[in-house]
Amino acid sequence: MDYTAKLDEAIQRLHDEGRYRTFIDIERKRGQFPHATWTRPDGTEQPVTVWCGNDYLGMGQHPAVLDAMKEAVDATGAGSGGTRNISGTTVYHKRLEAELADLHGKEGALVFSSAYIANDATLSTLPTLFPGLIIYSDELNHASMIEGIRRNGGAKRIFRHNDLDHLRELLAADDPEAPKLIAFESVYSMDGDFGPIKELCDIAEEFNALTYLDEVHAVGMYGPRGGGVAERDGLMGRVDIINGTLGKAFGVFGGYIAASAKMCDAVRSYAPGFIFTTSIPPAVAAGAAASIAFLKGEGGVKLREAHQTQAKILKTRLKGLGLPITDNGSHIVPLIVGDPKHTKLMSDMMLEHYGIYVQPVNFPTVPRGTERLRFTPSPVHGPNEMDHLIKALDALWSHCALNRAEMAG
Ligand SMILES: *Cc1c(COP(=O)(O)O)cnc(C)c1O
């Protein structure tokens, strides 16, 4: 067996399908977000503005977060020194979980290495807790949920995206006595559209199913205290398990679930992805807790308002140029270019000529023909950055001779 040749083949396949991913090396400048330095493959550097980050509110440079992290490092050192089970549960982890339980109005919370791991570990463990469990999963659910559901060996049904009738049909076809769980998201990150949380909870109630909600693209950003869309809509109490990240709007790192004390106890006890891994560094836990606490308060309300305003301004200005954005009312602004070649070309030219970093999103992350640039405006993007972006897009759209919508008036 020629192992090297096999690796070449695997990589070549991606090149042939136009799916080979190139990572852009950047270093963000604390205190100057969204500005960063890009290091080209040849080692030369260029200043860039990041327009595709998930640090949605700029909390990654917030003094409250940085101070908490520095204090924890000074007090307790670098790593946790163990798994949660063996010497790795610290006062920082307990404090963070209490902060999260409070955020979501739940009895408990469990912190994992990431929201990916939280989804994967929880969903793959649930059939052990509920033998015969059937999971109903929205077709556009994140890879981490798909992976957890796939690995658990239990029964699964995929319902068409946000299609309540289809879900109902699938539920009605199964044994009424079987344990069931409906898994979905609040904000879907590629189109920026919302899941119908209330209606899904109604259906879950009707069929006596549990609900599992990924709020990764909403925690910190929606709701009076940043508890997510379920908080905004007064629905947190109806969702059995809420999943979130500490790495996006909270600006740090890690993931979690929030649920009843019993659910947390059972998942904690059975999920290998929770038990057999080193717990997150205390400084990371401290930073995340400080971020959550800050965003619960008045400062968070202001940031959330500024965030939504920025998204509205960007969408309005892009629409004004006749550029085909998808506006589903969230903070995510997808600009549909429509083919992989132009999407990549636009992204490359934005970076090289304008110092604007926006990653191209191609198949299979999105359907063919909907290849896009996905912008994530935030309160740290000022009017100058916005003007520069608009000018660049206007010029490049013409340069690539891409279609514009009819302009109003
Ligand atoms: C990013 C993402 C995750 C994973 O979160 P991490 O903390 O980065 O692992 C889970 N679900 C969705 C919908 C995401 O977009």
Side-chain angles (χ1 to χ4, degrees):
M1 164 63 75
D2 183 344
Y3 291 102
T4 309
K6 285 289 167 210
L7 292 177
D8 285 337
E9 270 171 40
I11 291 165
Q12 191 54 45
R13 264 201 309 277
L14 295 176
H15 282 295
D16 292 346
E17 293 163 15
R19 300 208 279 129
Y20 184 76
R21 292 175 202 261
T22 358
F23 297 161
I24 304 295
D25 292 1
I26 59 161
E27 184 177 325
R28 299 199 292 165
K29 299 287 166 202
R30 180 188 52 84
Q32 296 167 42
F33 288 5
H35 295 282
T37 301
W38 167 41
T39 306
R40 290 195 186 79
D42 68 5
T44 58
E45 294 184 343
Q46 182 181 324
V48 295
T49 310
V50 180
W51 272 99
C52 57
N54 284 333
D55 185 350
Y56 289 115
L57 302 175
M59 291 305 287
Q61 65 177 3
H62 196 285
V65 175
L66 304 189
D67 288 349
M69 294 186 78
K70 286 177 203 163
E71 235 170 72
V73 166
D74 287 341
T76 191
S80 75
T83 63
R84 286 298 292 270
N85 188 36
I86 306 178
S87 91
T89 295
T90 71
V91 62
Y92 299 95
H93 296 87
K94 299 304 288 181
R95 222 179 270 153
L96 173 57
E97 287 177 344
E99 197 69 76
L100 287 165
D102 171 75
L103 176 67
H104 293 292
K106 297 288 179 199
E107 292 168 347
L110 294 175
V111 170
F112 295 76
S113 316
S114 69
Y116 185 104
I117 300 290
N119 273 334
D120 178 65
T122 305
L123 288 166
S124 62
T125 296
L126 290 176
T128 313
L129 308 178
F130 308 103
L133 181 71
I134 306 171
I135 297 185
Y136 303 78
S137 174
D138 188 287
E139 68 176 335
L140 292 191
N141 275 342
H142 189 259
S144 53
M145 281 199 269
I146 295 172
E147 197 59 24
I149 294 167
R150 203 178 57 79
R151 283 198 313 109
N152 73 23
K156 63 161 193 253
R157 318 272 183 256
I158 314 297
F159 60 94
R160 286 188 294 270
H161 180 51
N162 283 352
D163 188 333
L164 301 168
D165 293 335
H166 189 212
L167 170 63
R168 185 183 288 281
E169 222 174 84
L170 293 171
L171 281 159
D174 283 321
D175 177 1
E177 296 307 315
K180 301 179 176 74
L181 177 135
I182 306 173
F184 50 98
E185 300 184 19
S186 57
V187 178
Y188 290 86
S189 69
M190 287 306 143
D191 284 323
D193 60 327
F194 293 93
I197 303 174
K198 180 186 174 297
E199 289 75 7
L200 288 163
C201 288
D202 289 344
I203 293 182
E205 213 169 277
E206 186 185 331
F207 289 89
N208 192 25
L210 295 169
T211 45
Y212 186 102
L213 172 60
D214 178 318
E215 287 252 39
V216 162
H217 286 280
V219 288
M221 293 172 275
Y222 293 85
R225 299 204 308 156
V229 180
E231 189 202 10
R232 183 193 72 184
D233 296 348
L235 296 167
M236 286 196 298
R238 299 190 64 194
V239 179
D240 293 291
I241 302 175
I242 295 175
N243 163 280
T245 185
L246 306 169
K248 288 172 184 171
F250 292 128
V252 190
F253 181 74
Y256 65 91
I257 60 163
S260 70
K262 266 209 183 88
M263 183 73 80
C264 289
D265 195 23
V267 172
R268 176 189 75 85
S269 307
Y270 277 92
F274 184 80
I275 303 167
F276 298 106
T277 187
T278 301
S279 61
I280 64 170
V284 170
S291 183
I292 296 161
F294 176 85
L295 289 178
K296 281 177 183 173
E298 205 43 51
V301 174
K302 287 208 185 79
L303 275 182
R304 281 187 283 282
E305 280 169 8
H307 184 217
Q308 293 297 321
T309 302
Q310 290 295 83
K312 281 198 190 87
I313 292 173
L314 181 59
K315 285 189 266 193
T316 305
R317 294 191 67 179
L318 292 176
K319 281 180 199 166
L321 292 174
L323 303 193
I325 60 156
T326 305
D327 185 359
N328 285 310
S330 78
H331 58 282
I332 294 167
V333 185
L335 172 60
I336 311 297
V337 180
D339 72 87
K341 215 179 81 229
H342 281 109
T343 309
K344 177 80 168 69
L345 182 67
M346 291 272 297
S347 170
D348 287 348
M349 291 175 77
M350 298 272 278
L351 191 61
E352 272 292 342
H353 303 309
Y354 295 91
I356 291 169
Y357 174 33
V358 58
Q359 191 71 26
V361 185
N362 287 335
F363 178 83
T365 308
V366 296
R368 288 187 209 280
T370 72
E371 289 82 359
R372 64 195 68 185
L373 300 172
R374 177 179 167 279
F375 298 95
T376 51
S378 83
V380 298
H381 293 92
N384 292 338
E385 282 92 12
M386 190 81 82
D387 281 343
H388 185 58
L389 173 69
I390 297 293
K391 283 197 188 105
L393 279 173
D394 194 17
L396 285 178
W397 209 263
S398 298
H399 176 87
C400 293
L402 293 165
N403 288 331
R404 299 191 194 224
E406 280 301 312
M407 285 199 227

